[in-house]
């Protein structure tokens, strides 16, 4: 495999792994966020603070914890997940889940309460009212997706500790940048960084376009 | 509500897609080729030599995949204890001995050696050029204490290189943990490349493996000079150790032994002897198998024996008999 092909493969792998991690986190985090934003129950404030606090979990610390769990000597060692792409997806999903939950909660909570009341007055049931609120929160949810994906694709600690930076398997953009830097291949490291940044800018442009389309679609 | 249904359908489609892709990735991973996990020290991996060997090995053994987990010697041994790697390539005889004594490693085989170097600013303010390592360190310490400014930077990360540095300070008559506290002694806490750059930037001396130094020097990343080198006490010995499958369950012992046999084979020893000669002007490693078998050249063979052999009951062994399992033709 030439260097160019290798870079393309690494880039695609980065997108796939972090994309799946963000989707996984969205699947779990969005409902939790909406719930925390709409309902008020005992312990809710503690939960939101907990998720906000977890946003600052260092990637290398999470990597270490997950290594101890996924290691052959650890509680989930029998799954043989360590040093596989699947482990990487799970790790990054856990990493970005607090971001997903916190931003969603905040957005949903800040939607003008009158919208829900209005929907209810206009004859919508509870679920319908919830959808109206969701629609108003779209911008915040898109931001949550964007922030989660950005954090997932730019993190290094988890990818190194439980991915192992295996060539052709778990080598992603950030671990390649780290490896090429320690190898003294500074230009290659910078090139990979440029790829990562341009990808994220393009991704956010596309996401903005998508947000407009979805908004239009929801309103019909 | 129609809209709500659409959203629901979209969510269902997205999650199905997600699960199937995940499942596919997971399954392709399981039903895949047999994998031998090799825990390796960064100073070996960062040179690129192992990528060459991986290609060779996989061409020889179709259906086998070599996966290198590159980390410092300390954490690499930890991976071995947990059964996360099958075989180790490390360079710290003291830590290796401990690892094997605790029963985690067997069938140790020395496959390469080279020399550490003490590097420093070209103007060499402390004047250590051409001296021996012990004298050089004593000079540096005195120079540092008299000027008070930083003069030495240490990786301080328990890597093989750092272990060597600790031993060298010991031989010069100083306790590493004590002098570490003094003002002239900096701790970078990072890898070899980063430490060399710190030394270069701030005009400090440091101990480096030759591979990383030559690479950084050839790429023009550092201007440090080799000031003390080619001395017996600076020898650096790399060995392969299989993780003991009778102590650590699940490890791929056969795969590990095949890999060790490959590392000490004539062909790989020749690759090691030449690696780096074309790009860096000189080879980075010297093959060790023939040196130890024939005892020639006598001085080098003697240095390796006294530095990296294990003393068990007064006899020096590359791998003491009680820590050998099976017959793989490694020891003659």
């Amino acid at each position: 495999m030439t260097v160019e092909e290798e870079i393309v493969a690494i880039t695609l792998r980065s997108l796939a792994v972090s994309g799946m991690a963000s989707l996984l986190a969205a699947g779990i985090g969005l409902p939790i966020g909406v719930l925390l934003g709409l309902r008020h129950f005992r312990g809710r404030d503690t939960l939101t603070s907990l998720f906000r606090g977890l946003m600052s979990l260092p990637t290398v610390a999470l990597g270490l914890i997950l290594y101890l769990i996924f290691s052959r000597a650890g509680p989930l060692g029998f799954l043989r997940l360590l040093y596989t792409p699947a482990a990487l997806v799970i790790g990054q999903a856990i990493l970005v889940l607090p971001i997903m939950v916190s931003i969603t909660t905040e957005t949903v909570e800040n939607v003008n309460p009158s919208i829900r009341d209005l929907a209810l007055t206009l004859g919508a049931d509870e679920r319908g009212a919830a959808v109206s609120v969701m629609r108003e929160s779209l911008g915040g949810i898109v931001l949550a997706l964007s922030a989660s994906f950005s954090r997932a694709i730019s993190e290094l600690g988890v990818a190194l500790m439980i991915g192992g930076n295996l060539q052709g398997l778990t080598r992603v953009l950030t671990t390649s940048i780290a490896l090429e830097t320690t190898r003294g291949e500074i230009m290659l490291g910078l090139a990979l960084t440029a790829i990562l940044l341009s990808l994220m800018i393009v991704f956010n442009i596309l996401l903005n376009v998508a947000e407009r389309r979805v908004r239009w679609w929801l309103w019909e | 509500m129609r809209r709500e249904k659409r959203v629901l359908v979209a969510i269902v489609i997205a999650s199905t897609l997600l699960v199937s892709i995940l499942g596919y990735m997971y399954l392709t991973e399981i039903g895949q080729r047999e994998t031998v996990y090799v825990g390796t020290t960064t100073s070996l991996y960062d040179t690129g030599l192992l990528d060459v060997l991986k290609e060779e090995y996989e061409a020889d053994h179709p259906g086998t995949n070599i996966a290198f987990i590159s980390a410092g010697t300390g954490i690499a041994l930890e991976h071995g204890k947990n059964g996360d790697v099958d075989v180790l390539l490390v360079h710290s005889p003291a830590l290796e001995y401990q690892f094997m004594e605790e029963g985690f490693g067997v069938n140790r085989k020395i496959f390469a050696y080279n020399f550490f170097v003490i590097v420093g600013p070209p103007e060499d303010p402390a004047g250590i050029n051409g001296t021996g390592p012990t004298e050089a360190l004593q000079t540096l310490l005195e120079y540092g204490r008299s000027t008070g400014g930083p003069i030495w930077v240490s990786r301080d990360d328990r890597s093989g290189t750092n272990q060597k540095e600790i031993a060298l300070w010991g031989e010069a008559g100083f306790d590493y943990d004590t002098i570490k506290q003094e003002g002239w002694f900096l701790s970078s806490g990072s890898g070899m490349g980063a430490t060399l750059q710190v030394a270069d930037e701030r005009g400090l001396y440091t101990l480096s493996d030759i591979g990383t130094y030559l690479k950084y020097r050839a790429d023009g990343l550092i201007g440090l000079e080799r000031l003390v080198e080619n001395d017996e006490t600076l020898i650096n010995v790399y060995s392969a150790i299989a993780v003991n499958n009778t102590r650590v369950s699940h490890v791929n012992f056969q795969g590990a032994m095949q890999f060790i046999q490959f590392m000490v084979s004539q062909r790989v020893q020749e690759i090691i002897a030449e690696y780096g000669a074309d790009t860096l002007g000189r080879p980075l490693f010297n093959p060790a198998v023939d040196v130890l078998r024939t005892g020639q050249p006598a001085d080098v063979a003697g240095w390796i024996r006294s530095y990296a052999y294990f003393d068990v009951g007064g006899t020096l062994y590359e791998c003491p008999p009680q820590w050998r399992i099976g017959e793989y033709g490694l020891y003659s």
Side-chain angles (χ1 to χ4, degrees):
Chain A
M1 207 190 274
T2 66
V3 178
E4 289 80 13
E5 286 170 343
E6 175 99 34
I7 290 179
V8 171
I10 289 171
T11 307
L12 290 177
R13 190 174 308 121
S14 246
L15 287 173
V17 165
S18 301
M20 274 187 278
S22 311
L23 283 178
L24 191 62
I28 302 166
L30 283 180
I32 299 179
V34 170
L35 192 74
L36 286 176
L38 284 181
R39 301 249 184 270
H40 290 264
F41 50 87
R42 266 168 61 110
R44 174 186 168 280
D45 287 349
T46 319
L47 263 180
T48 51
S49 307
L50 176 74
F51 276 113
R52 284 193 189 172
L54 284 174
M55 286 204 290
S56 65
L57 184 64
T59 59
V60 68
L62 179 63
L64 176 62
I65 294 165
L66 291 174
Y67 165 73
L68 292 173
I69 292 172
F70 285 132
S71 161
R72 284 316 296 253
L76 294 184
F78 65 92
L79 292 174
R80 304 229 66 175
L81 276 177
L82 192 66
Y83 306 139
T84 64
L88 204 45
V89 170
I90 296 169
Q92 291 190 345
I94 295 174
L95 180 74
V96 302
L97 186 67
I99 298 178
M100 193 69 83
V101 171
S102 298
I103 299 183
T104 310
T105 305
E106 186 64 22
T107 315
V108 171
E109 197 178 7
N110 282 331
V111 169
N112 196 330
S114 59
I115 289 188
R116 185 161 166 270
D117 296 340
L118 183 65
L120 288 173
T121 324
L122 290 177
D125 54 9
E126 270 290 332
R127 284 203 308 179
V131 169
S132 312
V133 173
M134 286 283 284
R135 198 161 54 207
E136 290 304 311
S137 324
L138 191 64
I141 289 170
V142 168
L143 176 66
L145 278 170
S146 166
S148 301
F149 186 56
S150 305
R151 167 102 156 142
I153 205 166
S154 62
E155 72 83 26
L156 174 67
V158 173
L160 269 186
M161 299 281 293
I162 62 172
N165 191 22
L166 296 179
Q167 193 183 11
L169 201 58
T170 55
R171 183 162 298 171
V172 291
L173 281 168
T174 50
T175 56
S176 306
I177 294 169
L179 176 66
E180 298 307 339
T181 307
T182 57
R183 279 184 169 173
E185 302 283 353
I186 305 293
M187 283 320 290
L188 192 49
L190 281 179
L192 289 165
T193 311
I195 292 175
L196 180 65
L197 279 180
S198 358
L199 275 178
M200 290 316 290
I201 291 167
V202 171
F203 166 75
N204 277 293
I205 291 172
L206 290 178
L207 200 61
N208 268 334
V209 173
E211 186 193 338
R212 270 199 294 276
R213 291 304 277 284
V214 171
R215 207 180 276 279
W216 173 82
W217 180 63
L218 278 176
W219 261 268
E220 286 178 284
Chain B
M1 282 197 89
R2 266 182 59 214
R3 215 178 283 137
E4 197 184 349
K5 267 184 193 154
R6 274 201 213 167
V7 174
L8 263 177
V9 168
I11 290 175
V12 169
I13 291 176
S15 37
T16 323
L17 211 64
L18 177 73
V19 170
S20 51
I21 297 173
L22 261 180
Y24 170 76
M25 281 176 78
Y26 185 61
L27 288 175
T28 48
E29 173 54 22
I30 296 184
Q32 216 199 17
R33 303 177 292 172
E34 177 201 355
T35 302
V36 180
Y37 289 94
V38 184
T40 159
T41 118
T42 43
S43 67
L44 206 53
Y45 191 69
D46 290 346
T47 61
L49 168 67
L50 296 179
D51 289 336
V52 176
L53 296 183
K54 173 182 158 84
E55 267 177 39
E56 286 282 320
Y57 189 88
E58 289 174 0
D60 274 12
H61 303 80
T64 308
N65 179 31
I66 296 287
F68 291 111
I69 309 295
S70 168
T73 298
I75 188 75
L77 293 171
E78 206 59 38
H79 285 151
K81 287 181 191 175
N82 289 337
D84 298 321
V85 295
D86 305 312
V87 57
L88 290 157
L89 305 179
V90 284
H91 65 144
S92 179
L95 291 181
E96 289 163 35
Y97 181 84
Q98 205 185 338
F99 181 76
M100 295 182 77
E101 195 182 29
E102 289 168 13
F104 293 112
V106 292
N107 295 357
R108 174 181 189 253
K109 191 73 190 163
I110 292 170
F111 64 90
Y113 71 94
N114 59 13
F115 293 91
F116 288 107
V117 285
I118 296 178
V119 297
E123 51 277 16
D124 188 17
I128 62 163
N129 196 358
T131 60
T134 308
E135 198 190 337
L137 291 185
Q138 285 163 345
T139 313
L140 282 171
L141 178 129
E142 266 157 40
Y143 183 82
R145 280 182 180 166
S146 65
T147 59
I151 192 70
W152 177 266
V153 57
S154 166
R155 282 176 62 174
D156 200 15
D157 61 354
R158 293 219 194 165
S159 58
T161 306
N162 185 226
Q163 297 288 336
K164 183 74 182 186
E165 184 199 333
I166 295 172
L168 285 172
W169 281 113
E171 277 168 46
F174 306 107
D175 177 42
Y176 178 82
D177 289 320
T178 314
I179 56 171
K180 211 168 103 172
Q181 313 297 334
E182 298 182 19
W184 55 274
F185 194 107
L186 287 189
S187 152
S188 75
S190 48
M192 197 67 253
T195 305
L196 281 171
Q197 283 179 311
V198 170
D200 186 57
E201 205 61 46
R202 304 202 46 188
L204 308 174
Y205 296 84
T206 192
L207 179 76
S208 174
D209 66 281
I210 188 73
T212 314
Y213 169 79
L214 285 178
K215 174 80 180 134
Y216 271 57
R217 178 76 204 216
D219 289 352
L221 295 169
I222 50 171
L224 301 167
E225 289 289 345
R226 298 200 294 268
L227 299 170
V228 180
E229 60 178 334
N230 290 334
D231 188 276
E232 172 187 354
T233 51
L234 290 175
I235 198 161
N236 181 22
V237 176
Y238 290 94
S239 22
I241 300 175
V243 177
N244 184 355
N245 64 335
T246 60
R247 170 76 196 257
V248 182
S249 46
H250 308 298
V251 294
N252 178 357
F253 189 70
Q254 289 311 320
M257 288 318 299
Q258 261 181 24
F259 186 75
I260 293 181
Q261 286 174 316
F262 165 79
M263 287 301 287
V264 302
S265 69
Q266 200 59 40
R267 193 160 51 93
V268 169
Q269 291 286 300
E270 280 163 21
I271 295 176
I272 290 174
E274 277 158 29
Y275 187 75
D278 47 349
T279 49
L280 299 176
R282 60 179 268 192
L284 299 182
F285 303 96
N286 309 290
V289 173
D290 272 351
V291 174
L292 294 173
R293 203 191 49 219
T294 61
Q296 294 298 329
D299 52 347
V300 174
W303 296 346
I304 297 179
R305 285 210 181 92
S306 64
Y307 171 65
Y309 271 36
F310 296 154
D311 184 342
V312 177
T315 315
L316 289 176
Y317 293 104
E318 181 175 17
C319 180
Q322 67 271 30
W323 296 340
R324 298 177 191 170
I325 293 184
E327 187 47 63
Y328 296 92
L330 293 178
Y331 314 100
S332 44

